[in-house]
């Protein structure tokens, strides 16, 4: 395996360990809906079909970015892609860097011919290789949009990580200008606050995936893979680096109401999805929760999707929300209303 593939394989193994999930959680337990014991709707009438990138999808959540080019990445991607196709929910690919560098076939369209599939490259790779890399990432999988990930802390902890981020914003702007599919910019678990979001909006970005703190902890994962004692001591100060998903969402939504936000980072069930929607997200993403099922089978991923959907349905029923537009107005418990 190449270095990138070894790294990816390590990431998959480590992401499954609970010790590399954020110790504090994403803060979802601090936000509570006011229960509505008179829902005045029937569970079966709850609807959460959503529009995403001008297409109708079955639910407001997607499979978050995980795998690209490592040896079991293909099997994981097949299970995720077949499930995305069957359930009509979008799927975000993990970084395509290794596959593009090694010229590997990317077969995702064989398994998901009509699902929404998002391509993925790192911001610093884009800075180095420019629009050509972005186009190859999109064309190789007929992607409906390209996700560019921002991961400066992860790069710092990786021994060979990119330290020069001077031209990243310009590269993103150029890509948003010239690419013939939408560009989505995401973090990987430390979140993105209003200042960065405004810069991205000015650069022409319309979709942001915030990937806040509270789920998969990349500092912890990279730290366990790498480093001399000195490097580990430096990095250990940043283990809890980031902003909680539930705190960022209302802040960025208030700062940039015209932008489309994907709530992610520590989203673990359908109730968390409902909270993200209530706090301003149009779409949500879960990455790590789909990893264990994806190692088993397509059916296991489909089962996980259907459980998450049922949890969302219950959350909507219990708040008397027949549609997502009702959920967006659902009452939060008083102490939370005062803050949001
Ligand atoms: C095994 C694994 C690999 C990942 N690889 C990528 C990647 O290649 N590109 C990317 O943008 N995000 C990647 N992520 C980050 C996720 O997309 C997500 O932003 C982050 O894990 C927070 O979501 P979670 O708490 O639901 O896992 C990866 C996550 C996991 C668990």
């Amino acid at each position: 395996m190449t270095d990138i593939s070894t790294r990816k394989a390590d990431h998959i193994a480590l992401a499954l360990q609970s010790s590399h999930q954020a110790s504090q959680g994403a803060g979802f337990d601090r936000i509570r809906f006011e229960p509505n014991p008179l829902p005045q709707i029937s569970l079966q009438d709850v609807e959460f079909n959503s529009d995403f990138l001008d297409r109708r999808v079955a639910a407001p959540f997607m499979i978050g970015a995980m795998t690209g080019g490592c040896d079991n990445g293909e099997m994981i991607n097949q299970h995720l892609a077949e499930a995305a196709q069957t359930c009509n929910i979008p799927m975000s690919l993990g970084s395509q860097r290794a596959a593009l560098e090694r010229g590997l076939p990317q077969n995702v369209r064989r398994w998901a011919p009509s699902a929404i599939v998002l391509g993925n490259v790192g911001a610093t790779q884009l800075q180095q290789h420019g629009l050509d890399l972005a186009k190859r990432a999109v064309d190789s999988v007929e992607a409906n949009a390209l996700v560019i990930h921002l991961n400066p802390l992860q790069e710092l902890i990786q021994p060979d990580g990119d330290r020069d981020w001077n031209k990243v914003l310009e590269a993103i702007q150029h890509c948003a200008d010239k690419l013939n599919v939408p560009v989505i910019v995401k973090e990987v678990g430390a979140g993105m606050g209003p200042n960065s979001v405004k810069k991205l909006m000015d650069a022409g970005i319309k979709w942001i995936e915030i990937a806040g703190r509270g789920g998969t902890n990349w500092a912890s994962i990279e730290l366990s893979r790498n480093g001399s004692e000195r490097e580990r001591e430096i990095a250990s100060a940043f283990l809890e680096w980031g902003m909680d998903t539930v705190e960022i969402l209302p802040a960025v939504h208030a700062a940039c109401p015209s932008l489309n936000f994907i709530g992610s980072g520590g989203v673990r069930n359908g109730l968390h999805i409902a909270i993200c929607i209530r706090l301003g997200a149009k779409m949500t993403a879960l990455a790590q929760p789909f990893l264990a099922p994806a190692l088993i089978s397509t059916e296991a991923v489909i089962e996980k999707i259907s459980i998450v959907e049922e949890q969302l349905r219950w959350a909507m029923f219990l708040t008397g929300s027949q549609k997502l537009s009702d959920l967006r107005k659902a009452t939060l418990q008083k102490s939370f209303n005062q803050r949001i």
Side-chain angles (χ1 to χ4, degrees):
M1 281 201 279
T2 64
D3 281 356
I4 307 177
S5 301
T6 314
R7 186 161 74 217
K8 265 289 170 190
D10 284 357
H11 286 167
I12 289 168
L14 292 165
L16 286 166
Q17 296 173 13
S18 57
S19 55
H20 297 300
Q21 294 294 299
S23 55
Q24 310 287 340
F28 286 102
D29 51 349
R30 299 200 299 271
I31 306 289
R32 302 232 169 94
F33 285 107
E34 183 177 301
N36 180 346
L38 287 170
Q40 293 176 279
I41 52 172
S42 163
L43 182 67
Q44 66 180 16
D45 295 333
V46 168
E47 282 173 19
F48 45 68
N49 285 346
S50 308
D51 292 321
F52 181 55
L53 302 176
D54 296 329
R55 292 258 302 272
R56 202 80 182 140
V57 292
F61 68 90
M62 64 179 179
I63 298 171
M66 285 188 285
T67 48
C70 70
D71 284 355
N72 62 356
E74 169 117 331
M75 183 264 286
I76 292 175
N77 271 351
Q78 176 175 357
H79 295 160
L80 294 174
E82 286 176 345
Q85 176 73 25
T86 306
C87 302
N88 187 23
I89 69 162
M91 170 186 177
S92 192
L93 289 173
S95 171
Q96 294 171 264
R97 177 183 179 183
L100 291 172
E101 278 182 8
R102 291 161 69 188
L104 298 175
Q106 298 180 71
N107 291 321
V108 66
R109 280 297 173 199
R110 190 192 294 167
W111 307 308
S114 62
I116 293 185
V117 171
L118 310 179
N120 188 301
V121 295
T124 53
Q125 280 98 60
L126 187 70
Q127 173 185 246
Q128 286 151 21
H129 303 286
L131 192 61
D132 176 59
L133 177 85
K135 283 185 174 154
R136 287 196 293 130
V138 169
D139 293 347
S140 59
V141 295
E142 297 163 53
N144 300 84
L146 180 69
V147 173
I148 300 171
H149 65 262
L150 307 176
N151 59 344
L153 175 58
Q154 189 183 12
E155 295 288 340
L156 282 183
I157 301 178
Q158 281 173 11
D160 55 347
D162 290 314
R163 265 79 171 153
D164 178 2
W165 283 65
N166 265 308
K167 301 279 180 211
V168 161
L169 187 60
E170 284 87 337
I172 291 173
Q173 178 160 18
H174 186 58
C175 193
D177 244 22
K178 302 282 178 214
L179 207 62
N180 58 2
V181 294
V183 170
I184 300 171
V185 179
K186 80 186 274 286
E187 233 285 340
V188 297
M192 244 189 276
N195 291 332
S196 323
V197 162
K198 275 185 196 149
K199 285 185 196 162
L200 290 166
M201 186 174 76
D202 293 343
I205 299 301
K206 302 206 165 29
W207 282 90
I208 305 268
E209 182 181 335
I210 58 164
R213 177 179 62 183
T216 306
N217 182 334
W218 285 102
S220 167
I221 288 180
E222 295 296 357
L223 206 59
S224 73
R225 293 182 65 241
N226 300 306
S228 64
E229 210 155 298
R230 181 175 184 276
E231 284 161 343
R232 297 164 68 78
E233 188 175 340
I234 296 171
S236 61
F238 297 88
L239 271 176
E240 302 296 332
W241 182 254
M243 295 171 278
D244 292 358
T245 300
V246 297
E247 279 176 10
I248 311 173
L249 264 175
V252 293
H253 184 56
C256 303
S258 63
L259 272 186
N260 301 293
F261 292 104
I262 301 171
S264 69
V267 177
R268 293 293 173 262
N269 56 50
L271 177 55
H272 292 172
I273 292 172
I275 291 172
C276 286
I277 303 280
R278 170 62 182 79
L279 297 182
K282 288 247 167 63
M283 173 51 74
T284 61
L286 298 75
Q288 196 266 3
F290 287 116
L291 190 53
L295 285 164
I296 301 171
S297 65
T298 301
E299 289 67 34
V301 182
I302 292 173
E303 175 64 2
K304 182 71 186 173
I305 290 171
S306 89
I307 287 170
V308 173
E309 283 179 341
E310 202 53 21
Q311 289 168 331
L312 174 59
R313 198 183 315 281
W314 282 29
M316 291 179 66
F317 178 72
L318 291 170
T319 53
S321 310
Q322 189 180 344
K323 301 195 165 89
L324 290 173
S325 52
D326 304 324
L327 182 63
R328 291 198 168 92
K329 292 180 283 193
T331 311
L332 295 174
Q333 287 187 27
K334 212 165 183 178
S335 53
F336 305 118
N337 266 343
Q338 283 160 357
R339 288 197 295 122
I340 292 161

